[in-house]
Amino acid sequence: MTAVAVLLLVTTDPVASAVDTKVAQQTTEQQNTEPQNNESQNREQQSTAPQSDATEPEQVADQVAEWIGDLSSDSFQLRRESFVKLWRTGMPALSAVQAAMKSTDKQQAETAATLEVLIRLNVATDNPTESANLLNELTTTPELALVKLCKRGYWSVANQLLEFNNELLSSLKSSPRAYSRMNALVDEALEQNQLDLAWPVIRQVLPYQQSLWIALQNDLEKPKVDLTDPSVQAWNLFIEGKYDEMLKSAAPVNLKADLALRAFQWQAFKDPDLMAGVVGRRASVGQKAARAVMLEFAGELAESEAIWDAILPPADFAETEKTPAEKTPAEKTPEDKTPERDSEEAGDEDEVVDEAALLAAEALRFRSEMVRTDRATLETLERVATDPANLDRLLVSMLLTGRAQAVQDYMLENAPADAWSLCLTRGNQAAAMTALGLAPDLSNFDRWLAKCRADLHSDANQFFDRAVGFRSAVLLANNLQALGLTERADQLFDVLVSVCLVSRQRTQNYWEMLATSMTRAESRRRFLDIVTTNEMKLDENIRDRILSILYPECSMSAAVLFANGPMVKDEKGRPSKWEALEQLYLYNREPFEPQANKTLGTWLRRARASLSSSDELSAMQLGELALLADGIGQPELALEFARESSQASIELWAYAGKTLQDRGDLKSALEYFSAVRRMDSGHQEAIVDEANTMLMLGRVSEAAELRKSRWLRPLMVYGGSSWFTVARRLSEAKRFELAREYIEPAFLLSGVDDSENLTMKQPIFVATADEFTRIADELKEVELSADLHRAMFGVLLSAQKTRSYPVSVYASLGSKERTRRAILAARSGDMAAFERHATVAEDLQPQGIELVEDTFHELVASGNQATAEKWFARYEQRLLAHLEQWPTDATSHNNLAWMYARCNLKLEEALEHSQTAVELSPHSPVLLDTLAEVQFRLNHRSAAIHSMQRCIQLDPRDPHFRRQLERFLQAAE
């Protein structure tokens, strides 16, 4: 029987709680219809409830014993009355109650435990109404009752109720509202000017690891834990930063390995037992490879390479002649060149079969041309292919240690569909084309497109098709557009649209895939053209879903805004509501002039009225309308939307508070921030804003206590209302310093809420570490970012199914980690380490200019000018060769220009490449940003300012562009 059920025995109903005890008792006796009612009435007639000052101790003792026995009665009424009588008896009943706590009858023992706390701590029963209400709250919503207890000053009662009644504590921990109730308790402690009073209660609700971290950070009493438990001891040592002691503890090796990864104790993995905690003790090829990775992390380079020499032939790194597909057009000899093929589309069905066979043969030949790894290495991989987990671990380990070419070659031969994304990540467009069965020069594109159309239309009407082919075709279409091959891209887009229109089973899914993949720069404009052309063929539900995808910051109100919007002319001069919504989303007032304020204000108010009239208006929609109003320069309208909400709206209140704070209306701002805190203290950025407002008002001590209260508010580590969520929201708002305060404990403690579920722990850990890396990169914490990447790799290598993500993700993450290691090596002047890390980064992303742009000046500063120039030349030559083969690749033109600019070299060439990139992709703010930077470095200040203003028009939400514009304007003064 739970503690909640035990307490329910003594609870009066809400009506009875408003009258005195005698009337409540009489009413209950009259209404009780249980079979045991006569037993209760007879005993009540024989004796009255004793008072605490009874003159006959023996009589009291007898009655107390009888009442304690009745705590296990089958009669609800009798149990309830006995509880009240014992409570009123007070101290004379305490010893008997304490003895009953040891009863083998669970019901009696749990009820006695609650009574013991109430009697010992002298919770008064003088006021019948208060006592009845208190018991009612404890039984109906225990987490809320604890807050009420504390509000009445019974802090120690609340604490000990949890401490001595495990059932009540378990009930509280399992309650979905427990965290929010405990946050209310913190607010109550603030009201009483005794913040620390809340801690003894809250620390019992949290996982002990989280409770210990908070205690150490805020100089609070540590939680009471069983330090004889080796696992608990290890966690305590870890959180206290005593890593050496933690590693020497008797905790399970898997736990110590996990904690060593979180603490970045790489050298500790020299220990074979600790290594086994990550990769296991078996001797499969995959585990050996993972062991080699971890040994390199630990600094044991020779031992790591020895393992690789045993797994793969040393020839794995041997230089091989370029294949025809890798040669630039200028390098190709006549025998290298692929002959032109018939580009006519297939006719009858027999011809389609022949074409399919021809395409398959060509695809096999193209892939074999791309492979350059020695045969022995590929055979090694093929030998373990029958064990997917073993193969996955080996492939990922190879990627992380500079063997990406071998992985790519193996995948091109054995899993071409999976090789596509890896080839693109490595900048190898020719290999990416071959993975899909296309000739590197696209000479067989028309034949391939005919086969693609037939396959996609066939798949579209298969009930169980998962649209894998459609998804790949969408990615290829976008890639063709990015390469500037717009004619080919348009041909493929036309096929994709035709599939969307004819599909019977998944029409909406297809449109969603298309919309989701076409949200950047030129592809966005192309998609807007597609939906405008096909608008009359779109079901309303599909159209509304497309709108929500294209306009994520106003996804809830996009359909209503579209329906109520005016017409403006698009780039082709056609009146369009789509174009009107696009310009509103971009905060562009120009198309709505000369009466932009009136037109836009009326539009937003009309949308709000439409939502309200259909009873669909939500706080989230009002928030979206408020942000749009603010973006188009109508702050009064924005505040009007924010303040009119009759619902509890965290986002609106936070927005209103921030707006009023910026205006200097601090008292009003404080009211909104306080409302956010009391409604949902998971939005802890509003608590910081509230504290800052208090400081502005001179309420220094209150502000300090409020800021401290953040850590007493028991958010989860990961999930809905959690430290992780707060960190991500702050990161999205570009408040990186504050985000770091939350993501660090989320990383250290990730998984403690679900410590037994390894399946859940790994993705939680990886997601948290990934978010932490983004924050660390923004804060320029290079070593931290590198270590976080390694921690992710350690967890992923320990997984049974290592390849939880596409191999392209591992290649990208691996390149980032190696680049950061290279930066650190360049700073310290360790050229051997620099060359090692740079070589692996180059192998993973041969066209990834981040290595050069982030290390060039570090190398020069440390006296290694020649090394800096060598690596600059390698990447420059590779990009130039790529552009010779793909001259309309706007991204590569941009990357080369950005590398030139960041290294402050060849700025005239940078200007030429950047201008070409913008001409090829005029709707990309990223490319315009590069052009502006080059113009600024060339001292073309007016042009730079103009380019940056255009960036802001294309993406008004990114604060980077506004910071850049401010920088340019300051330099021009």
Side-chain angles (χ1 to χ4, degrees), residues 128-145:
T129 301
E130 181 179 5
S131 299
N133 283 335
L134 174 59
L135 287 171
N136 186 57
E137 289 159 2
L138 280 168
T139 60
T140 53
T141 52
E143 67 276 8
L144 181 58

Side-chain angles (χ1 to χ4, degrees), residues 682-690 726 729-730 735 738 742:
H683 282 67
Q684 296 212 357
E685 57 270 39
I687 298 177
V688 175
D689 292 333
E690 183 181 2
V726 174
R729 201 163 49 238
L730 286 164
R735 300 174 70 172
L738 190 56
Y742 289 92

Side-chain angles (χ1 to χ4, degrees), residues 269-285:
F269 289 101
K270 295 177 183 179
D271 183 335
D273 287 334
L274 202 66
M275 176 73 77
V278 174
V279 301
R281 296 186 182 277
R282 292 179 57 210
S284 69
V285 175

Side-chain angles (χ1 to χ4, degrees), residues 666 691-703:
L666 301 181
N692 291 339
T693 307
M694 284 182 173
L695 282 174
M696 295 177 197
L697 290 169
R699 296 160 61 177
V700 179
S701 60
E702 290 178 73

Side-chain angles (χ1 to χ4, degrees), residues 517-531:
S517 69
M518 301 179 69
T519 56
R520 295 182 179 180
E522 304 314 310
S523 63
R524 182 187 187 89
R525 300 304 307 182
R526 181 68 179 90
F527 184 74
L528 286 172
D529 183 61
I530 288 172
V531 294

Side-chain angles (χ1 to χ4, degrees), residues 199-252:
W199 178 240
V201 177
I202 288 172
R203 70 180 181 179
Q204 296 187 65
V205 179
L206 299 171
Y208 76 87
Q209 301 98 325
Q210 187 180 358
S211 184
L212 177 62
W213 187 89
I214 292 173
L216 291 173
Q217 295 295 314
N218 294 277
D219 195 26
L220 297 167
E221 185 180 357
K222 296 179 183 178
K224 297 175 182 178
V225 293
D226 180 11
L227 288 176
T228 63
D229 183 330
S231 295
V232 173
Q233 185 184 55
W235 268 107
N236 274 26
L237 292 168
F238 167 74
I239 293 171
E240 291 175 354
K242 300 175 181 177
Y243 303 137
D244 290 340
E245 293 179 48
M246 179 272 291
L247 292 169
K248 294 175 184 176
S249 72

Side-chain angles (χ1 to χ4, degrees), residues 25 31 178 196 205 276 283 408 548 623 626 718 878:
Q25 185 181 35
Q31 293 179 348
D196 291 352
V205 179
Q408 177 180 300
S548 69
Y718 183 91
R878 194 176 294 115

Side-chain angles (χ1 to χ4, degrees), residues 411-439:
M411 294 183 70
L412 279 170
E413 278 200 357
N414 297 278
D418 295 332
W420 154 260
S421 60
L422 177 61
C423 294
L424 286 184
T425 298
R426 301 186 72 234
N428 195 332
Q429 294 287 351
M433 298 298 180
T434 66
L436 296 180
L438 282 164

